[in-house]
Amino acid sequence: MKPKESKNADDRARSASTKPIQNGSERKPIELGEICADRVGLEMGREQIKRWDSQRIELSLFQRAFKYRLHVAIALAILIFVADTLSRHATAVAVMYVLCLIVASDSASRITVKLVSGGCAVLTLLSFFISHGLATETLPTLRLIFSLFANVTTAILLTKQAGDRLILQAQARLLELTSDAIFLRDGTGRICYWNHGAERLFGYHASEVLGKFHWEVLAVQGGEGRADPERCFVETGSWEGELEVITKSGRSINVYSRWRAEQPRPEAPLMIIVTTIDISARKAADAALRASEFRYRTIFETLPVAIWEHDLRPVKAEIDAIKASGVVDFKSFLDNNPDFIVRARKMVRITDVNQTALRLMGISEKSDFFEYLSDFLPEDDESFGQFLATLSEGQQVFQSETSIKSSLNGQIPVIVTLNLPPVTCH
């Protein structure tokens, strides 16, 4: 019989550890709960979401809107300044400057809101001094203080609102730039947001799906495909797993999907965030790998040649350490240190054997097979020392004649061929 060394333990471990995608083992879709919570918290209506989808939040639109509103705010400020300066009524006309802030802030940044607020404050003071000079009458002074207080308070509130709006715009832009398919559905299952990633993955444009039911758009392969996700979501408020859905073109794809409920306030509407990635290629690769493993296992077990696998990593580490210490001629080192050969034999663990090897050695179960090479290699064996010299030189094939112990027939003469995998750099 001819024992033969197959793949090393590392290669087999990697193959054995490769499994179909399970929950948590694949790349997960990005966490966007906070993003969509902000959306719900700021009560973004469905019409606004549709407008985002159609316009894609183009910067030029905001620039034009800001320019238009800023012109209106300037004109309004001039009118209020003239009215405040010429007014003979004992009223706080300058309070109306808050209208300028409101008009300008809708498309403005926080810095712009502060600048407009500062400009309105300057106009308020200028109007006061034109109308009253340096006189410090009580009522006009109180009206001045009240107007400035209203200006500052409004500016603070609008500055915070402008910051929230900029964050919201950035978050919406992120939703459009991500490669993951992301959409929102309300508590009834109707889709209210559909990003670019969803368009690419499923083939539907946003205008085709907004307002439609989730399962009406994305039919699931199999009659009960959607039952478990819906039931789990109702019970726990979240779900993640694999689905096989049908795209607009009729193509069936495997996806990994995550659902998460968001309702930041009791009075806010329930929104369900659905993030999805395509795992069809990965599933196909896993299926091909499983088929390859099955073919290899079948060949390994049925080949009429005795095969067992060795874990040579401890021995290789010892050889490398000896060579690193300055030993150049490893063959001479083995001749002078026969105890190393005996010790190395006890390091080599048997990791797997085929059925032919079991029959050859007179053993019925793999669990009863010898655990280490030293268990069935005779004490006077010389082939293992020759193999160590070959291993130290980096050769990948070694062949020799020796004998092995058998529980049935004592020692069996065999031709041993050891094949080592090529060294790869990581």
Side-chain angles (χ1 to χ4, degrees):
M1 305 304 292
K2 185 178 180 182
K4 177 182 178 183
E5 178 66 33
S6 66
K7 300 180 181 178
N8 67 0
D10 287 340
D11 292 341
R12 289 196 46 72
R14 284 195 293 268
S15 299
S17 63
T18 305
K19 299 179 179 178
I21 297 173
Q22 302 292 335
N23 291 354
S25 67
E26 272 296 302
R27 178 181 68 90
K28 299 299 183 62
I30 60 176
E31 291 288 351
L32 293 169
E34 293 78 5
I35 293 177
C36 295
D38 288 341
R39 288 175 148 192
V40 175
L42 294 174
E43 297 182 356
M44 291 166 32
R46 181 171 167 182
E47 292 301 322
Q48 186 177 8
I49 294 177
K50 286 184 178 180
R51 175 167 58 86
W52 277 14
D53 185 75
S54 61
Q55 298 175 348
R56 303 303 182 193
I57 316 178
E58 297 179 1
L59 182 60
S60 59
L61 294 179
F62 287 101
Q63 291 174 338
R64 289 197 295 269
F66 169 67
K67 184 177 180 181
Y68 168 77
R69 290 180 176 273
L70 189 60
H71 288 166
V72 173
I74 293 173
L76 188 60
I78 294 174
L79 291 176
I80 295 173
F81 174 76
V82 173
D84 187 29
T85 304
L86 300 180
S87 175
R88 301 300 179 184
H89 301 285
T91 56
V93 178
V95 174
M96 298 180 65
Y97 280 116
V98 299
L99 297 177
C100 301
L101 289 170
I102 294 173
V103 171
S105 67
D106 188 62
S107 301
S109 64
R110 288 179 292 182
I111 295 178
T112 303
V113 172
K114 293 177 181 179
L115 291 176
V116 173
S117 175
C120 291
V122 171
L123 291 178
T124 301
L125 292 172
L126 181 60
S127 177
F128 177 82
F129 287 116
I130 292 176
S131 301
H132 303 284
L134 298 176
T136 55
E137 299 179 13
T138 303
L139 290 179
T141 302
L142 290 176
R143 289 196 296 271
L144 172 65
I145 295 174
F146 178 75
S147 299
L148 292 175
F149 178 77
N151 184 332
V152 173
T153 302
T154 304
I156 292 174
L157 295 176
L158 293 178
T159 298
K160 183 179 182 303
Q161 184 183 43
D164 292 339
R165 184 176 59 253
L166 290 176
I167 293 174
L168 191 61
Q169 292 170 4
Q171 292 171 342
R173 191 64 176 169
L174 176 62
L175 288 174
E176 295 301 330
L177 293 176
T178 179
S179 59
D180 291 345
I182 302 171
F183 62 92
L184 304 181
R185 44 174 277 195
D186 59 20
T188 66
R190 292 184 181 275
I191 298 173
C192 54
Y193 176 75
W194 190 265
N195 78 337
H196 275 312
E199 290 182 357
R200 290 190 295 268
L201 180 58
F202 301 119
Y204 293 99
H205 190 270
S207 59
E208 299 178 84
V209 300
L210 292 178
K212 294 185 178 180
F213 287 102
H214 177 182
W215 301 116
E216 178 185 354
V217 176
L218 300 177
V220 178
Q221 197 77 287
E224 300 180 356
R226 74 185 198 186
D228 289 341
E230 291 287 1
R231 181 171 56 253
C232 180
F233 181 78
V234 170
E235 294 174 354
T236 65
S238 64
W239 176 82
E240 61 180 280
E242 297 179 19
L243 292 172
E244 187 174 354
V245 300
I246 301 174
T247 65
K248 181 180 179 180
S249 63
R251 183 171 63 96
S252 178
I253 61 173
N254 295 102
V255 299
Y256 188 90
S257 185
R258 298 184 68 191
W259 301 3
R260 179 174 171 180
E262 288 292 344
Q263 192 172 17
R265 297 188 306 276
E267 67 275 11
L270 175 67
M271 300 296 290
I272 301 170
I273 309 151
V274 181
T275 57
T276 306
I277 59 173
D278 186 1
I279 59 172
S280 299
R282 178 63 177 170
K283 294 278 285 186
D286 284 341
L289 182 59
R290 287 194 300 271
S292 176
E293 280 289 299
F294 177 77
R295 288 194 299 270
Y296 163 76
R297 175 54 58 181
T298 301
I299 295 172
F300 178 81
E301 294 292 351
T302 60
L303 195 69
V305 175
I307 302 174
W308 54 84
E309 291 183 345
H310 305 79
D311 184 358
L312 295 169
R313 289 175 299 177
V315 175
K316 184 64 167 62
E318 286 283 340
I319 293 175
D320 292 341
I322 292 172
K323 294 174 67 176
S325 66
V327 174
V328 178
D329 189 348
F330 195 76
K331 291 182 179 180
S332 298
F333 172 83
L334 294 175
D335 293 336
N336 298 326
N337 297 274
D339 57 318
F340 175 78
I341 300 176
V342 176
R343 184 162 56 90
R345 263 194 323 213
K346 296 179 180 180
M347 297 181 192
V348 182
R349 189 169 61 87
I350 308 303
T351 57
D352 197 6
V353 295
N354 68 349
Q355 295 297 321
T356 305
L358 293 178
R359 290 192 296 270
L360 174 67
M361 311 290 275
I363 300 174
S364 58
E365 299 292 338
K366 289 188 178 184
S367 58
D368 298 329
F369 196 81
F370 303 101
E371 186 174 0
Y372 291 94
L373 181 62
S374 59
D375 295 338
F376 61 87
L377 204 61
E379 295 295 333
D380 59 352
D381 172 76
E382 297 181 356
S383 64
F384 187 70
Q386 299 168 4
F387 165 70
L388 292 179
T390 301
L391 182 62
S392 69
E393 297 171 357
Q395 298 183 29
Q396 297 178 9
V397 179
F398 172 79
Q399 183 171 307
S400 178
E401 293 185 12
T402 186
S403 60
I404 57 177
K405 299 176 183 178
S406 170
S407 62
L408 295 177
N409 304 316
Q411 292 190 3
I412 304 174
V414 294
I415 297 176
V416 178
T417 301
L418 292 123
N419 296 311
L420 301 176
V423 179
T424 57
C425 297
H426 297 282

